[in-house]
Amino acid sequence: MAKTPMRVAVTGAAGQIGYALLFRIANGDMLGKDQPVILQLLEIADEKAQKALKGVMMEIDDCAFPLLTEMTAHSDPMTAFKDVDVAVLVGARPRGPGMERKDLLEANAQIFTVQGKALDAVASRNVKVLVVGNPANTNAYIAMKSAPSLPAKNFTAMLRLDHNRALSQVAAKTGTQVKDIEKLTVWGNHSPTMYADYRFATVNGKSVKELINDQEWNANTFLPTVGKRGAAIIEARGLSSAASAANAAIDHVRDWVLGTNGKWTTMGVPSDGSYGIPEGTMFGFPVTTENGEYTIVQGLEIDAFSQERINLTLKELTEEREGVKHLLP
Ligand SMILES: NC(=O)C1=CN([C@@H]2O[C@H](COP(=O)(O)OP(=O)(O)OC[C@H]3O[C@@H](n4cnc5c(N)ncnc54)[C@H](O)[C@@H]3O)[C@@H](O)[C@H]2O)C=CC1
Ligand SMILES: O=C([O-])CC(=O)C(=O)O
């Protein structure tokens, strides 16, 4: 029997990430090749943006995706989020050259209070929310706090792009394939302070840390490369990452909904106090997922270097949160 369609809201649907994301959702890459979808697309109430959205929808129509059962355009989150099972919150201003993601806080924070409230009012009680718009962790925190009747665990932030970047750097360094690397994670904020951690990682069963055996490379090449990759792409392309961000959003939601079969991945989730991260802080953790729920991997040893890095990224997140306090209920 055919499955009931799932309702997926995407905000910023006419933007660059939207253009790389929508076609893949409609194609079944995110929720499965047997899962029909309804797309509920939100853009700002600006004539140009709405017209661009119509153009994207015309192209989606022209793909004749068998899994796409319905598609609607919206300028009001209260209609866009009605009964949604998944909400991918992309719509926000991107940074330009020379900016840090936290410089976007002021410009973007307001969007996530409004959208958190709308999700609270009209979304499915089981909605899975992924915040992509930067600064992603703090925006996800704002949306979560603005939606007090929804479970906090339904709100997540995208660290998957950092995770995928780290995978590909480790594969290149060790001369191995990304598909063979397991147990890698990224702790903390989606910012240059994130801590990509391969201490527990294995490749074909061998320890990545032992294979690399180079703490100088870890501290001075690997971490800055992953941490500053977004800026390097802005510098090279003149625009921030879009296709790789859309790909990471697909990976994040797919793994959350369909499970990781015991494998680790990274999600930004509200802390339950694990590893001394204050409860509620939207923090990148190693997780496994099953039956639509994520679980933070427990019991990992945190050595002095790792603790220092975790403290640094936590400090930044705490400061960002202080900066938006006035917007929260
Ligand atoms: N978490 C992550 O790993 C990554 C996050 N990003 C972030 O994603 C966001 C979007 O990036 P792009 O698609 O490249 O930007 P873009 O400027 O191409 O598109 C953003 C779209 O959002 C729309 N928008 C703005 N406010 C909105 C609102 N309140 N409701 C609905 N739509 C709204 C705009 O009209 C625009 O069409 C940026 O904040 C960017 O920094 C980008 C890459 C990776
Ligand atoms: O760097 C940016 O502004 C866009 C982004 O978040 C990334 O590519 O990681």
Side-chain angles (χ1 to χ4, degrees), residues 9-28:
V10 177
T11 73
Q16 352 168 49
I17 295 177
Y19 196 67
L21 178 63
L22 299 177
F23 298 85
R24 294 191 57 194
I25 300 175
N27 191 36

mmCIF file of all heavy atoms in Angstrom, residues 9-28:
data_model
loop_
_atom_site.group_PDB
_atom_site.id
_atom_site.type_symbol
_atom_site.label_atom_id
_atom_site.label_comp_id
_atom_site.label_asym_id
_atom_site.label_seq_id
_atom_site.Cartn_x
_atom_site.Cartn_y
_atom_site.Cartn_z
ATOM 1 N N ALA A 9 7.968 21.511 4.855
ATOM 2 C CA ALA A 9 8.084 22.956 4.614
ATOM 3 C C ALA A 9 9.555 23.293 4.367
ATOM 4 O O ALA A 9 10.439 22.775 5.057
ATOM 5 C CB ALA A 9 7.577 23.738 5.817
ATOM 6 N N VAL A 10 9.792 24.154 3.396
ATOM 7 C CA VAL A 10 11.144 24.684 3.183
ATOM 8 C C VAL A 10 11.022 26.199 3.113
ATOM 9 O O VAL A 10 10.221 26.732 2.335
ATOM 10 C CB VAL A 10 11.790 24.155 1.882
ATOM 11 C CG1 VAL A 10 13.166 24.775 1.666
ATOM 12 C CG2 VAL A 10 11.887 22.628 1.900
ATOM 13 N N THR A 11 11.805 26.900 3.925
ATOM 14 C CA THR A 11 11.795 28.366 3.883
ATOM 15 C C THR A 11 12.991 28.849 3.069
ATOM 16 O O THR A 11 13.985 28.133 2.927
ATOM 17 C CB THR A 11 11.858 28.972 5.299
ATOM 18 O OG1 THR A 11 13.181 28.797 5.803
ATOM 19 C CG2 THR A 11 10.858 28.310 6.250
ATOM 20 N N GLY A 12 12.866 30.055 2.538
ATOM 21 C CA GLY A 12 13.935 30.554 1.664
ATOM 22 C C GLY A 12 13.988 29.738 0.384
ATOM 23 O O GLY A 12 15.055 29.532 -0.206
ATOM 24 N N ALA A 13 12.810 29.298 -0.049
ATOM 25 C CA ALA A 13 12.726 28.292 -1.112
ATOM 26 C C ALA A 13 13.237 28.802 -2.455
ATOM 27 O O ALA A 13 13.612 28.011 -3.312
ATOM 28 C CB ALA A 13 11.289 27.793 -1.231
ATOM 29 N N ALA A 14 13.261 30.126 -2.642
ATOM 30 C CA ALA A 14 13.742 30.659 -3.929
ATOM 31 C C ALA A 14 15.222 31.051 -3.866
ATOM 32 O O ALA A 14 15.766 31.597 -4.816
ATOM 33 C CB ALA A 14 12.908 31.861 -4.340
ATOM 34 N N GLY A 15 15.876 30.756 -2.744
ATOM 35 C CA GLY A 15 17.294 31.117 -2.599
ATOM 36 C C GLY A 15 18.204 30.055 -3.198
ATOM 37 O O GLY A 15 17.738 29.078 -3.794
ATOM 38 N N GLN A 16 19.521 30.270 -3.018
ATOM 39 C CA GLN A 16 20.465 29.336 -3.636
ATOM 40 C C GLN A 16 20.402 27.943 -3.033
ATOM 41 O O GLN A 16 20.475 26.958 -3.756
ATOM 42 C CB GLN A 16 21.911 29.714 -3.569
ATOM 43 C CG GLN A 16 22.521 30.943 -3.117
ATOM 44 C CD GLN A 16 24.018 30.625 -3.000
ATOM 45 O OE1 GLN A 16 24.625 30.060 -3.920
ATOM 46 N NE2 GLN A 16 24.605 30.947 -1.875
ATOM 47 N N ILE A 17 20.296 27.844 -1.714
ATOM 48 C CA ILE A 17 20.213 26.490 -1.126
ATOM 49 C C ILE A 17 18.891 25.844 -1.539
ATOM 50 O O ILE A 17 18.846 24.664 -1.908
ATOM 51 C CB ILE A 17 20.355 26.541 0.416
ATOM 52 C CG1 ILE A 17 21.749 27.042 0.784
ATOM 53 C CG2 ILE A 17 20.100 25.177 1.026
ATOM 54 C CD1 ILE A 17 21.994 27.204 2.273
ATOM 55 N N GLY A 18 17.810 26.640 -1.507
ATOM 56 C CA GLY A 18 16.499 26.118 -1.932
ATOM 57 C C GLY A 18 16.572 25.492 -3.315
ATOM 58 O O GLY A 18 16.030 24.406 -3.552
ATOM 59 N N TYR A 19 17.295 26.154 -4.199
ATOM 60 C CA TYR A 19 17.363 25.672 -5.591
ATOM 61 C C TYR A 19 18.107 24.335 -5.693
ATOM 62 O O TYR A 19 17.888 23.553 -6.607
ATOM 63 C CB TYR A 19 18.050 26.734 -6.466
ATOM 64 C CG TYR A 19 17.841 26.512 -7.942
ATOM 65 C CD1 TYR A 19 16.581 26.654 -8.521
ATOM 66 C CD2 TYR A 19 18.897 26.146 -8.763
ATOM 67 C CE1 TYR A 19 16.385 26.435 -9.874
ATOM 68 C CE2 TYR A 19 18.710 25.934 -10.120
ATOM 69 C CZ TYR A 19 17.449 26.081 -10.673
ATOM 70 O OH TYR A 19 17.245 25.860 -12.003
ATOM 71 N N ALA A 20 19.008 24.094 -4.739
ATOM 72 C CA ALA A 20 19.742 22.819 -4.755
ATOM 73 C C ALA A 20 19.034 21.743 -3.926
ATOM 74 O O ALA A 20 19.377 20.567 -4.010
ATOM 75 C CB ALA A 20 21.156 23.033 -4.217
ATOM 76 N N LEU A 21 18.068 22.168 -3.127
ATOM 77 C CA LEU A 21 17.453 21.256 -2.145
ATOM 78 C C LEU A 21 16.119 20.673 -2.607
ATOM 79 O O LEU A 21 15.853 19.483 -2.444
ATOM 80 C CB LEU A 21 17.244 22.062 -0.838
ATOM 81 C CG LEU A 21 16.588 21.397 0.355
ATOM 82 C CD1 LEU A 21 17.456 20.235 0.857
ATOM 83 C CD2 LEU A 21 16.409 22.423 1.497
ATOM 84 N N LEU A 22 15.272 21.540 -3.185
ATOM 85 C CA LEU A 22 13.881 21.132 -3.429
ATOM 86 C C LEU A 22 13.783 19.948 -4.376
ATOM 87 O O LEU A 22 12.978 19.034 -4.169
ATOM 88 C CB LEU A 22 13.084 22.316 -3.995
ATOM 89 C CG LEU A 22 13.013 23.524 -3.066
ATOM 90 C CD1 LEU A 22 12.276 24.667 -3.752
ATOM 91 C CD2 LEU A 22 12.306 23.157 -1.768
ATOM 92 N N PHE A 23 14.605 19.968 -5.404
ATOM 93 C CA PHE A 23 14.534 18.904 -6.415
ATOM 94 C C PHE A 23 14.911 17.555 -5.798
ATOM 95 O O PHE A 23 14.351 16.525 -6.144
ATOM 96 C CB PHE A 23 15.461 19.244 -7.592
ATOM 97 C CG PHE A 23 15.043 20.520 -8.287
ATOM 98 C CD1 PHE A 23 15.459 21.766 -7.809
ATOM 99 C CD2 PHE A 23 14.198 20.487 -9.385
ATOM 100 C CE1 PHE A 23 15.056 22.940 -8.416
ATOM 101 C CE2 PHE A 23 13.794 21.667 -10.009
ATOM 102 C CZ PHE A 23 14.215 22.900 -9.515
ATOM 103 N N ARG A 24 15.825 17.588 -4.866
ATOM 104 C CA ARG A 24 16.261 16.334 -4.239
ATOM 105 C C ARG A 24 15.228 15.827 -3.241
ATOM 106 O O ARG A 24 15.059 14.616 -3.086
ATOM 107 C CB ARG A 24 17.633 16.527 -3.591
ATOM 108 C CG ARG A 24 18.698 16.789 -4.657
ATOM 109 C CD ARG A 24 20.086 16.718 -4.113
ATOM 110 N NE ARG A 24 20.358 15.438 -3.489
ATOM 111 C CZ ARG A 24 21.407 15.217 -2.701
ATOM 112 N NH1 ARG A 24 22.271 16.198 -2.464
ATOM 113 N NH2 ARG A 24 21.588 14.033 -2.162
ATOM 114 N N ILE A 25 14.542 16.736 -2.566
ATOM 115 C CA ILE A 25 13.466 16.285 -1.666
ATOM 116 C C ILE A 25 12.368 15.624 -2.499
ATOM 117 O O ILE A 25 11.890 14.531 -2.182
ATOM 118 C CB ILE A 25 12.877 17.462 -0.854
ATOM 119 C CG1 ILE A 25 13.938 18.131 0.010
ATOM 120 C CG2 ILE A 25 11.712 16.977 0.008
ATOM 121 C CD1 ILE A 25 13.454 19.386 0.745
ATOM 122 N N ALA A 26 12.001 16.316 -3.592
ATOM 123 C CA ALA A 26 10.907 15.808 -4.434
ATOM 124 C C ALA A 26 11.293 14.500 -5.113
ATOM 125 O O ALA A 26 10.436 13.700 -5.486
ATOM 126 C CB ALA A 26 10.537 16.858 -5.480
ATOM 127 N N ASN A 27 12.581 14.263 -5.231
ATOM 128 C CA ASN A 27 13.090 13.052 -5.878
ATOM 129 C C ASN A 27 13.223 11.874 -4.905
ATOM 130 O O ASN A 27 13.639 10.783 -5.299
ATOM 131 C CB ASN A 27 14.463 13.380 -6.483
ATOM 132 C CG ASN A 27 14.969 12.314 -7.399
ATOM 133 O OD1 ASN A 27 14.190 11.703 -8.119
ATOM 134 N ND2 ASN A 27 16.255 12.064 -7.354
ATOM 135 N N GLY A 28 12.930 12.127 -3.615
ATOM 136 C CA GLY A 28 12.980 11.031 -2.641
ATOM 137 C C GLY A 28 14.322 10.844 -1.963
ATOM 138 O O GLY A 28 14.511 9.897 -1.210
#
